[in-house]
């Protein structure tokens, strides 16, 4: 089983390239909101003004005394959470886990955009009623588009003929109310079928976002063959803003010489990841197209 935390660590492996960030451990359990943390080892980089991370909880250090620090949890929009004794603490993380998790969700949303053409497949069963044209798609979530619609026929042949694409329409902003559709999504069928028999709808849907670091990534709907994609995309996103600080005029934010690390080096450093991501997206798209080819009826 692959968890979101595995994706977070994979993303960091791309970003840190073997750099080992300073670590510590909690000497006793931390209670959310308590404002105090006690550490097992010498504080070293943990000092007033630094940030520390436990899990996806980012904390700001106000002061230190011995091996105890006064902290504020839930820093920078993260969620303050309890932590067990012995939990690993990361000191001044370059890429906080909460930020990485957010970038992973952004990439999942991006992958299922029409620009990239990836998606998860959903199905919905309706019952044909000859007195109706429109059907409420109340069981359909994250709809992108309908792949195909099939209807069952009587008899033992298990024949599920496909409805011509010119014979149905999908409305993603259908009217609601007494004579509308509760879900706001509707399928309109303009072909006679068999009363009381099921209609099988196969559709493209956006990937489901990660809830937290313990989420099983299979719940996103991303095929297992594409599990490598979100960490690559998240790494590219997180590196995209690294050059901005070099343009600050208020302070000197980067002491490295331009000859050592020229302007644009940060963005250029992920070019290989961009190429890899584009190639992998195309490969996965072709895999989907093979299973679900585009059908254009005359």
């Amino acid at each position: 089983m692959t968890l979101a935390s595995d994706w977070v660590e994979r993303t960091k492996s791309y970003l840190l390239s073997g750099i080992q960030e300073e670590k510590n451990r909690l000497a006793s359990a931390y209670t959310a909101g308590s404002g105090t943390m006690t550490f097992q080892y010498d504080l070293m980089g943990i000092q007033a003004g630094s940030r520390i991370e436990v899990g996806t909880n980012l904390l700001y250090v106000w002061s230190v005394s011995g091996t105890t620090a006064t902290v504020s949890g839930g820093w920078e929009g993260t969620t303050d959470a309890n932590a067990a004794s012995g939990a690993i603490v990361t000191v001044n993380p370059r890429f906080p886990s909460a930020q990485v998790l957010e970038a992973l969700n952004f990439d999942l949303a991006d992958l299922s955009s029409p620009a990239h053409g990836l998606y998860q497949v959903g199905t919905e069963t309706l019952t044909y009623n000859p007195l109706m044209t429109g059907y409420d798609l109340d069981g359909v979530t994250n709809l992108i588009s309908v792949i195909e619609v099939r209807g069952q026929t009587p008899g033992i042949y298990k024949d599920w003929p496909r409805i011509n694409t010119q014979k149905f329409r999908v409305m993603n902003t259908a009217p609601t109310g007494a004579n509308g559709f509760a879900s706001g999504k509707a399928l309109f069928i303009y072909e006679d079928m068999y009363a009381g028999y099921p209609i099988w709808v196969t559709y493209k849907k956006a990937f489901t976002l990660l809830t937290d670091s313990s989420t099983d990534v299979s719940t996103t709907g991303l095929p297992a063959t594409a599990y490598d994609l979100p960490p690559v995309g998240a790494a590219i996103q997180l590196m995209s803003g690294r050059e901005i600080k070099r343009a600050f005029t208020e302070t000197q934010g980067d002491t490295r010489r331009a000859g050592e690390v020229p302007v644009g080096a940060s963005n250029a450093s992920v070019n290989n990841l961009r190429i890899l991501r584009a190639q992998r997206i195309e490969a996965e798209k072709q895999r989907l197209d093979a299973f679900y080819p585009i059908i254009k009826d005359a």
Side-chain angles (χ1 to χ4, degrees):
M1 180 172 64
T2 303
L3 302 179
S5 57
D6 298 319
W7 275 0
V8 169
E9 293 306 314
R10 181 70 177 272
T11 304
K12 289 185 178 182
S13 72
Y14 285 125
L15 294 167
L16 298 176
S17 301
I19 294 174
Q20 181 59 61
E21 295 179 310
E22 183 183 336
K23 304 287 185 180
N24 209 317
R25 285 185 182 272
L26 293 182
S28 59
Y30 166 75
T31 302
S34 65
T36 302
M37 268 190 172
T38 303
F39 303 94
Q40 186 173 340
Y41 305 108
D42 291 340
L43 298 191
M44 298 178 66
I46 302 176
Q47 55 189 333
S50 63
R51 300 182 306 167
I52 57 177
E53 179 183 67
V54 183
T56 55
N57 181 18
L58 195 63
L59 304 98
Y60 184 82
V61 179
W62 296 102
S63 64
V64 296
S65 177
T67 56
T68 300
T70 300
V71 298
S72 288
W75 200 250
E76 296 183 10
T78 61
T79 301
D80 197 11
N82 297 337
S85 175
I88 295 176
V89 179
T90 302
V91 183
N92 289 318
R94 288 174 171 82
F95 300 94
S97 295
Q99 189 181 60
V100 176
L101 189 65
E102 183 180 47
L104 287 167
N105 276 334
F106 287 155
D107 193 67
L108 282 169
D110 185 47
L111 288 173
S112 55
S113 69
H116 297 307
L118 302 187
Y119 52 87
Q120 62 173 312
V121 178
T123 58
E124 175 72 357
T125 304
L126 307 171
T127 301
Y128 182 70
N129 185 340
L131 302 179
M132 293 172 53
T133 299
Y135 296 82
D136 195 339
L137 295 176
D138 55 345
V140 172
T141 58
N142 300 326
L143 175 65
I144 296 175
S145 64
V146 169
I147 298 173
E148 66 175 9
V149 180
R150 293 180 177 270
Q152 186 181 3
T153 59
I156 63 173
Y157 300 104
K158 296 184 179 181
D159 185 19
W160 289 76
R162 181 180 58 82
I163 299 177
N164 188 297
T165 55
Q166 305 297 323
K167 296 290 187 177
F168 71 84
R169 291 289 183 274
V170 178
M171 191 174 185
N172 206 19
T173 54
T176 56
N179 295 316
F181 305 88
S183 69
K185 300 184 293 293
L187 173 68
F188 297 92
I189 297 178
Y190 307 106
E191 183 166 304
D192 292 333
M193 303 179 71
Y194 293 92
Y197 279 76
I199 301 169
W200 186 255
V201 182
T202 305
Y203 63 96
K204 301 177 183 179
K205 57 187 295 190
F207 297 120
T208 306
L209 301 185
L210 303 165
T211 304
D212 52 45
S213 59
S214 64
T215 303
D216 184 340
V217 300
S218 66
T219 62
T220 65
L222 189 72
T225 55
Y227 280 2
D228 60 316
L229 276 171
V232 174
I236 294 171
Q237 287 186 48
L238 291 168
M239 284 298 293
S240 296
R242 302 288 284 183
E243 290 286 339
I244 295 175
K245 65 182 180 182
R246 301 189 72 153
F248 289 168
T249 58
E250 298 85 357
T251 58
Q252 181 179 350
D254 189 350
T255 59
R256 299 292 295 272
R257 296 175 181 174
E260 297 174 338
V261 184
V263 174
S266 293
N267 287 333
S269 67
V270 294
N271 280 343
N272 287 339
L273 290 182
R274 292 191 181 98
I275 294 171
L276 172 63
R277 183 172 185 262
Q279 291 174 340
R280 288 290 298 112
I281 288 174
E282 181 60 27
E284 291 301 320
K285 183 176 180 298
Q286 290 187 27
R287 194 192 306 273
L288 281 172
D289 289 345
F291 278 108
Y292 304 100
I294 297 174
I295 300 173
K296 294 183 179 180
D297 294 308

